[in-house]
Structures are given as C-alpha cells and as structure tokens.
Amino acid sequence: MTAEPRPLGADDERLLRLVRSRLEAVGARASVERVWETAFSAWVIRVAPEARGAAPIQAWVVEDDVYLGVSESYIELYPLDERAWTWVGAVIDAVILGLIEETGRGSDKYIRLLIDAQPSGFGRLLMPMPWRWRRVRRFAPYDIVAPQS
C-alpha cells in the first residue's frame, strides 16, 4: 500500500525556505530537491552537496516533529516550535561548514556537531568510551562560492 502525497503544508514550505536560505547565505554549492517519500508519508527535502566528502542532508516534517537525516544518522526535533526551528538551522549550518563527525553502525550510531562553538551530540552510544578512542568519520565542508559584487 502506498500513501498518496498529502498537500504541502506551511511547515513543509518553511523547511524548504530554511534549507535554501542557509545554503544561499554562505554560497554553498548543492542540489536541492523535494520529493514525496512513501516510507515516511512526508515531503522530503534532499540536499546533495557538490563537494566530495561532504555530508548529504535529508529533512522532513511529520505532524509536530521535524527530522533531519545527516549522512547515515537521524535527528528528531520536537515539538516543532521556534526553538526546534533554531536547531534545524544550526544543524544545517554545521553540516554545510563541515563541523560534523559520525561514529558507530546500526543502533550504535552517533553524530556530533559543533554548534555555536560547543559540541552537540545526537544518537545512541551503546559502549561508553572517550570520543577520541572511537573510529570517527569526518565530513568535508560544502563548496562555497564567493558572492559576486
């Protein structure tokens, strides 16, 4: 059974505007598309960076939650209030600038972002150990184009 695409809502539109504005603010080079994803029953925004080694982003809204897929990790922010929207922008900025690390596999997946000069982590670590002992995947920043004057 496939879910029929629902009409775009105000939060879907706001999410797309936010993603595009963050990319444009720094001149990040990436393709952006919005597609209906039956598995999530949601409109998903996919950001594919041109830079080799940069993390892709997926973002979607379901009811009162916003989800961000960064590389192979997922972040759920709820309730969808102004604080959550601020976090969405901060996560997108960190990914664009390459301030992101990911560790683990499967259910032991964890992502660490540098937001406002402070490490912020999302996910689950099944084995407690210092971060420096973990095998960590680091991501490149997006290609940035200097604004034309």
Side-chain angles (χ1 to χ4, degrees):
M1 183 173 137
T2 59
E4 288 293 317
R6 64 171 166 70
L8 290 166
D11 289 333
D12 296 308
E13 295 294 346
R14 183 174 182 179
L15 183 58
L16 181 59
R17 282 193 311 273
L18 179 61
V19 168
R20 285 189 172 149
S21 71
R22 296 300 182 144
L23 291 166
E24 291 167 2
V26 295
R29 295 176 52 178
S31 65
V32 178
E33 67 175 347
R34 179 169 47 197
V35 297
W36 175 255
E37 185 65 56
T38 305
F40 305 135
S41 295
W43 290 100
V44 176
I45 298 164
R46 293 182 181 152
V47 180
E50 292 182 14
R52 184 181 174 134
I57 301 170
Q58 292 186 68
W60 66 96
V61 174
V62 176
E63 296 178 9
D64 198 27
D65 300 353
V66 64
Y67 297 86
L68 297 168
V70 178
S71 178
E72 298 175 10
S73 298
Y74 291 92
I75 300 167
E76 178 183 8
L77 298 169
Y78 59 89
L80 190 50
D81 56 13
E82 288 307 312
R83 186 166 180 247
W85 285 113
T86 300
W87 270 100
V88 170
V91 169
I92 292 168
D93 290 346
V95 174
I96 290 170
L97 298 174
L99 304 175
I100 172 178
E101 299 174 324
E102 184 178 50
T103 188
R105 291 186 303 250
S107 62
D108 186 30
K109 183 71 71 175
Y110 193 83
I111 192 166
R112 188 167 78 163
L113 307 160
L114 191 62
I115 297 175
D116 295 330
Q118 298 293 321
S120 299
F122 302 91
R124 184 167 82 174
L125 293 171
L126 300 177
M127 175 76 87
M129 70 173 78
W131 187 259
R132 67 182 176 275
W133 293 358
R134 294 182 174 278
R135 181 172 294 163
V136 174
R137 182 174 174 199
R138 291 179 177 83
F139 294 90
Y142 282 36
D143 285 338
I144 305 296
V145 178
Q148 301 295 320
S149 48

